Structures are given as structure tokens and as C-alpha cells.
Amino acid sequence: MSENDSHERINHVKSEDSTTQNSSMQVQIHSKMPSQPRLRRTSYNADDPEKMGLLNVRAMSFLLMWYLFSAFTLFLNKYILSTLKGDPSFLGAMQMVMTTVFGFIQMYLPLGMYTPVDREGKPPNFWRNMILVGTMRFGTVVLGLVALKFVAVSFTETVKSSAPLFTVFISQVLIGEYTGPYTFLSLIPVMLGLALCSAYELSFNIQGFIAALATNLTECLQNVYSKLLISGDKYKYTPAELQFYTSLASMGVQIPFLFLMMDTSSVKNNMDYTLFLTYVINGIFFHFQSITAYVLMSYISPVTHSVANTVKRAFLIWLSVVLFGNPVTLLSGIGTITVTIGVLLYTKAKEYDLTRYNLKQQYSLQQGTDTKIV
């Protein structure tokens, strides 16, 4: 080997050692530098229906169908109880029977309302969840009938106007849903507006007030818990599954009470072909009212669902004015305007609070802290 070759080999080895040392120094320097957290981008994805909410065409369609079937059910209820002299307990039982029958059918024929899912057995606590929701459904119906026995419909609707407030607290406890301060404040005109709409015929009674308040609480619990089941991480129940199994559980709870509350002789004497057919049609409308509400829950939050329910009640009050000629008062007009303004404020407030929440979350990630956002 020549002298020049030896020098070149020595220089090559030195350059390799220098490169290795530089790389090692870079790794050490990089390891000493604090890691920069990756910012999570938050944006509305058109492929995610839950993020779009009522901006989704299907969600808006099911909202309108929910309103429509609710109107049919409400006015048939009034027609059966007032004109045909039907029994309220038997009416509630027929509604549960029809939701059970049609819920079973829709588990195999979704009618485009949801995507069917193949199940390999039932999840843990399946029947416990179904019995809980079914009992709440039954409790809502029975307590509503008890409330109507002691107070006017308008008073019950006035008490139910507080539903968004109940839903905010229940959602926070059960599913940890964040409700910003501006969204919370925007609920006030929504609730106040419905209270004004239905305040034309108030008649206070302590038994009726307690029953109406309990109805409101059970309905809000039912909606939030149903949202938890229909949007679960490990196991998502379909709307038809919730409809069928909770109706079945509700019927199991309802049968003993039915014999205690129903006047059997009166039901037999008043029953005819027209009344029975009306019961069946009413039950079908009630089924579609319930299942469209479940489908809608998969697109929106419980609080938004509660606000939509409040708007629905105000809409039905005015629809009854048009169809039945109920008197229109100044309070009803002011209440309708207040509800409309409240809904617009709620939409803007929710958007603002969501932006504010995301900015705080990104700031906490930049600081490398686990600060809880309130």
C-alpha cells in the first residue's frame, strides 16, 4: 500500500468519525429540546353527521318528520279523549303495543332510517339498559296523564318549558357534555318564550305541579340516556332496537299498572270499530314520532334536541290555534317571538362557545398542560 493511499484511508475514517459525532450531538440536542405538542385541528367534516348537526340534510328531514308525527299524535290524542271519550290508560297502552310491534318490524326493515348492523350476541347490561329506558318511557306517559288529571295542558307545557335547563345538567353528569356560558344564557329566552306561549290558562295544583315536574325530569333523563346508548363507543344501539326493546320493557312495567288505573267496564262499553281503529292509527303515529326522535338523537346533542323539542311545543300550540280556533293572546304572540329569537341566539351562542372551547384546548396543548377547560 502506498503512502498516499494510507493518508486517504486515514482521512476517510476521520470524516466518518466526525459525521458520527455530529449526528450524536444533534440527537442529544434534539432530545434536550422540549417536545412541541401537535395541535388538533377541529373542523366540520361533511362525512361526520354528528358534527354537522341540523346542517345535515337527513337530520333536518327527520326533525320535520318528528314535528309532523308529533302533531298527528297530539291531535289524535285530543280527538280520542275529548270526542270519542276514550280511556287515557288504554290509549297509553295501545301506543306502547304499536311501538313494540312496529319497532320489531323496523329492526328488519329499516325503511332508510338507519343502517342495520349484524349483532353477535348482546352487550353487557343490555337488559338493564332496556329496562331503565323502558321504565322512564312508561313513567313519562303515566306522570303526564296524572298531571293532566289535576292541571290544564297549558300549565304542564309551562313546566316543561324548563326542559333545556334540566337537560344541560343531566348531560353534564351522564355524558360530560360541555355547555358554554353563552349557550346556557341563550336557553333563557327559549324557555321563557314557551312559558309565555302556554301561560294563557294557568291553574296551579300541588299534585299536578309535582307530576308535571317529574314528567319533565324523566323525559330529560330518558333522552340523555338514549343518546348515550345510541352514540356509544363500543356498542351503538340502532333506533329500531331502542324502540322495540324499550317498548317491550315498558309494556312489562305497564301491565300491572294498567289494571289498577284503567276502568275496564267503561273501556268495554265505549269500544267500537271506529274507536279501536283510531287507537291503532294513533299508535302508528306515536311509533314514527318516537323512532324519528331516536334517529334525530344520533345527529344532534341532547341539549339541541331539548331546544328542538321546546320549539316543537310552541309550534304545536300555534297549530292548535289554527285548527281548533283556540284564543290567541298577547302573551302567545310575545312568547312565539321570544322563542324564535332564543333559537337564533342559541345557534350563534353554540357556534361561538365551540370556537372558544377549541381555542382554549389548543392553548392548553401548546402550554403542555392538562388544564381542565370549563
Side-chain angles (χ1 to χ4, degrees):
M1 181 182 294
S2 65
E3 186 176 353
N4 290 334
D5 292 338
S6 299
H7 283 299
E8 287 180 1
R9 184 172 182 181
I10 292 172
N11 290 334
H12 180 70
V13 170
K14 286 183 178 180
S15 65
E16 285 184 349
D17 291 342
S18 176
T19 303
T20 304
Q21 290 176 359
N22 290 336
S23 299
S24 176
M25 290 177 63
Q26 288 179 1
V27 170
Q28 291 177 359
I29 293 172
H30 182 71
S31 63
K32 292 180 180 179
M33 292 178 64
S35 59
Q36 296 295 327
R38 295 178 64 186
L39 297 181
R40 188 176 69 177
R41 297 182 64 186
T42 55
S43 60
Y44 286 104
N45 184 2
D47 296 329
D48 189 351
E50 291 192 16
K51 289 186 178 181
M52 293 184 66
L54 289 177
L55 295 177
N56 185 290
V57 177
R58 280 179 58 83
M60 182 58 68
S61 300
F62 282 111
L63 176 72
L64 296 177
M65 284 191 285
W66 181 40
Y67 280 19
L68 181 64
F69 288 120
S70 297
F72 288 158
T73 304
L74 178 65
F75 296 133
L76 265 184
N77 285 345
K78 182 178 177 63
Y79 178 70
I80 289 171
L81 298 176
S82 301
T83 305
L84 301 180
K85 306 301 179 183
D87 184 83
S89 300
F90 190 80
L91 173 62
M94 279 297 295
Q95 289 178 343
M96 287 298 105
V97 168
M98 298 309 293
T99 53
T100 303
V101 172
F102 280 86
F104 178 78
I105 293 173
Q106 282 209 258
M107 284 200 299
Y108 302 97
L109 295 174
L111 301 179
M113 290 188 175
Y114 67 94
T115 303
V117 180
D118 293 331
R119 302 294 189 199
E120 296 181 358
K122 292 180 173 56
N125 303 319
F126 175 83
W127 285 111
R128 186 200 68 178
N129 291 331
M130 295 300 98
I131 291 172
L132 276 174
V133 179
T135 304
M136 285 186 280
R137 288 187 70 177
F138 165 73
T140 302
V141 172
V142 172
L143 289 169
L145 293 173
V146 172
L148 291 177
K149 181 179 179 181
F150 291 101
V151 293
V153 177
S154 57
F155 184 84
T156 305
E157 291 299 320
T158 303
V159 174
K160 285 184 177 181
S161 66
S162 61
L165 193 61
F166 279 85
T167 306
V168 166
F169 292 111
I170 294 172
S171 299
Q172 181 67 41
V173 173
L174 289 185
I175 62 178
E177 182 186 356
Y178 171 76
T179 301
Y182 294 100
T183 304
F184 184 82
L185 290 175
S186 70
L187 296 176
I188 295 175
V190 176
M191 296 185 293
L192 179 62
L194 179 61
L196 291 174
C197 281
S198 55
Y200 59 86
E201 191 187 0
L202 297 184
S203 55
F204 182 81
N205 177 282
I206 187 63
Q207 292 97 330
F209 173 73
I210 293 174
L213 200 63
T215 304
N216 203 19
L217 181 60
T218 54
E219 187 174 14
C220 294
L221 272 171
Q222 175 196 328
N223 289 339
V224 175
Y225 200 75
S226 297
K227 173 65 177 180
L228 183 64
L229 296 178
I230 213 167
S231 304
D233 294 329
K234 295 182 180 179
Y235 187 98
K236 292 185 178 181
Y237 293 79
T238 66
E241 285 177 327
L242 276 179
Q243 180 78 318
F244 171 67
Y245 288 111
T246 60
S247 298
L248 192 64
S250 180
M251 282 181 60
V253 179
Q254 192 173 16
I255 288 173
F257 286 89
L258 185 63
F259 290 102
L260 294 175
M261 298 179 62
M262 187 177 66
D263 187 354
T264 309
S265 59
S266 175
V267 171
K268 287 182 179 179
N269 294 332
N270 292 334
M271 186 65 67
D272 57 18
Y273 177 78
T274 302
L275 179 58
F276 182 77
L277 183 61
T278 311
Y279 277 132
V280 172
I281 295 173
N282 176 269
I284 295 173
F285 284 146
F286 182 75
H287 161 74
F288 284 106
Q289 172 191 335
S290 301
I291 198 166
T292 50
Y294 281 137
V295 175
L296 185 62
M297 281 180 192
S298 62
Y299 291 95
I300 60 179
S301 71
V303 178
T304 303
H305 190 277
S306 185
V307 170
N309 199 18
T310 302
V311 175
K312 184 191 74 174
R313 289 190 176 113
F315 163 73
L316 293 178
I317 288 173
W318 275 98
L319 196 59
S320 67
V321 169
V322 175
L323 295 180
F324 300 112
N326 293 340
V328 180
T329 64
L330 178 62
L331 288 179
S332 298
I334 296 174
T336 303
I337 296 172
T338 307
V339 168
T340 305
I341 294 173
V343 170
L344 295 175
L345 289 175
Y346 173 79
T347 304
K348 291 296 181 182
K350 188 175 182 182
E351 182 180 347
Y352 177 78
D353 278 333
L354 180 62
T355 304
R356 181 170 169 265
Y357 177 88
N358 289 334
L359 288 174
K360 281 189 175 183
Q361 196 173 40
Q362 290 178 358
Y363 178 77
S364 66
L365 288 173
Q366 286 177 334
Q367 297 300 314
T369 61
D370 295 328
T371 305
K372 184 178 179 181
I373 301 171
V374 295

